[in-house]
Amino acid sequence: MKPTPPSRRAVVASLTATAALVLAGCGSESDGAGAAGSVSLGFVNGANTHFHSCLLKAVEQEAEAEGATVYSANSKQDAGTELSNIEDMISRSVDALIVQTVNVDALDGDIAKARAAGIPIYLTSVATSDMSDVLGAAVVDLKKVGGLDAGWIEKDAAGKDVTVGIVAGAPGAASDLLVGGFQAALPANAKVVANQPGMFNPAKAQDVAENMIQAHPDLDYAFVANEEMGLAVRKAFDAAGAEDVKIVTVNGTEDGLAAVEDGRFSATVANSAMTIGRTAVKNAIGLLDDDKSVDKISDIPLVLVTKDNVSEAPQYCPQ
């Protein structure tokens, strides 16, 4: 392994007194993705949705631009697999880990494992309540995302009593924060009549939506935890003759924006996977090098997108 610059040693040493001994046993970077660079990063992704695919692409492209090596692994929404992936990255002696966690409750074990090995973790999408043992985070305020969708419903309902269904993602991490923020921001005149997980799986979400509209044929609105599921929910509602149910959702993908333009979605909240991935790589490297101009926590911009401002949505996925 190449000698570590003093500033990077300082970061690593602050995490654990045994870091130097662990890092001294570093192996080769020759089997990493991309060209070998002065920094090696492990990226542990959380699932295989469009968001996660775009996030991976952004991490890889930004790492290449920065001259860094990236090793990647996918946890497939399983906390045990996430820890296993982190252990594998530790065995590669990467300089830092970028983690899109499957469940915030799993992070304590992940961080402790990496900290014991002297390898700092940079988080994407979420932050922990105690960031002292974490290198940094590119944070999407998921509660605010849900709140923006709820705010659109409040404005659209204009004080009328309305019913709302929720198609959540997988329990834990992103979905819980999204749904919690949405429910907390709903006005008193909006009653949640159904709340079921779609597991970030369009087929599952379609089944959930079919059952939901059968049980609540007069449903007014649906909040769906990502656009991939939202498109499947739209199909289920339309097939049941419930074209008037208004869907609000999350992401800002190309397909999602097209659905806003043609009216299949009433609103979505754009939180660019490209911006998250690029920010994570750039800031992780800057923080490793003790760059004082880099913030430990970076908030990813959010845009509530409707037909009126669809052209203002940020690019979601790298080309």
Side-chain angles (χ1 to χ4, degrees):
M1 181 177 173
K2 293 174 282 298
T4 307
S7 58
R8 192 171 301 137
R9 278 202 300 266
V11 173
V12 173
S14 71
L15 293 171
T16 174
T18 62
L21 293 175
V22 175
L23 294 175
C26 234
S28 168
E29 295 176 356
S30 61
D31 60 340
S38 58
V39 177
S40 62
L41 301 171
F43 175 49
V44 178
N45 209 348
N48 289 310
T49 70
H50 184 54
F51 166 79
H52 294 90
S53 298
C54 293
L55 184 63
L56 173 61
K57 189 181 289 188
V59 166
E60 290 178 337
Q61 287 187 3
E62 189 62 28
E64 184 177 2
E66 295 283 343
T69 299
V70 175
Y71 305 96
S72 64
N74 196 301
S75 303
K76 300 178 181 177
Q77 295 186 171
D78 182 78
T81 303
E82 179 171 290
L83 184 57
S84 241
N85 287 334
I86 284 172
E87 289 169 342
D88 177 63
M89 295 299 172
I90 290 170
S91 74
R92 295 175 183 270
S93 298
V94 294
D95 291 308
L97 275 161
I98 296 173
V99 178
Q100 172 71 29
T101 189
V102 302
N103 190 321
V104 289
D105 294 333
L107 279 175
D108 285 347
D110 297 343
I111 292 167
K113 182 71 71 170
R115 186 174 185 267
I119 297 177
I121 283 183
Y122 189 98
L123 301 174
T124 55
S125 297
V126 299
T128 59
S129 56
D130 178 6
M131 289 288 290
S132 60
D133 290 336
V134 175
L135 180 64
V139 177
V140 176
D141 188 340
L142 295 169
K143 290 183 178 180
K144 183 178 178 181
V145 170
L148 287 169
D149 274 334
W152 185 89
I153 290 175
E154 179 175 17
K155 183 176 179 182
D156 188 69
K160 284 190 311 178
D161 288 337
V162 295
T163 56
V164 181
I166 296 173
V167 181
S175 180
D176 290 354
L177 293 168
L178 277 171
V179 172
F182 175 77
Q183 289 182 293
L186 278 176
N189 56 293
K191 181 182 179 183
V192 175
V193 295
N195 182 354
Q196 293 178 265
M199 301 305 293
F200 293 121
N201 181 307
K204 171 68 173 173
Q206 187 163 341
D207 288 342
V208 166
E210 288 169 356
N211 293 332
M212 187 178 292
I213 202 65
Q214 285 177 6
H216 305 282
D218 296 325
L219 193 68
D220 296 302
Y221 299 93
F223 171 72
V224 187
N226 75 7
E227 290 166 355
E228 286 180 280
M229 293 195 300
L231 293 169
V233 169
R234 179 79 276 160
K235 286 181 183 177
F237 287 170
D238 290 354
E243 296 91 346
D244 292 339
V245 178
K246 296 178 181 180
I247 294 176
V248 295
T249 184
V250 178
N251 280 154
T253 65
E254 300 81 2
D255 289 345
L257 297 181
V260 170
E261 283 190 294
D262 65 24
R264 285 173 290 164
F265 294 159
S266 295
T268 192
V269 178
N271 56 315
S272 166
M274 183 175 77
T275 301
I276 297 168
R278 288 180 175 178
T279 300
V281 171
K282 192 171 291 187
N283 287 10
I285 292 172
L287 291 164
L288 282 172
D289 287 332
D290 202 24
D291 183 343
K292 301 300 184 186
S293 69
V294 178
D295 292 329
K296 182 166 183 169
I297 299 177
S298 294
D299 291 315
I300 302 301
L302 303 173
V303 181
L304 177 69
V305 181
T306 66
K307 276 187 178 181
D308 295 334
N309 69 337
V310 72
S311 63
E312 298 172 18
Q315 184 176 340
Y316 186 79
C317 198
Q319 298 298 316

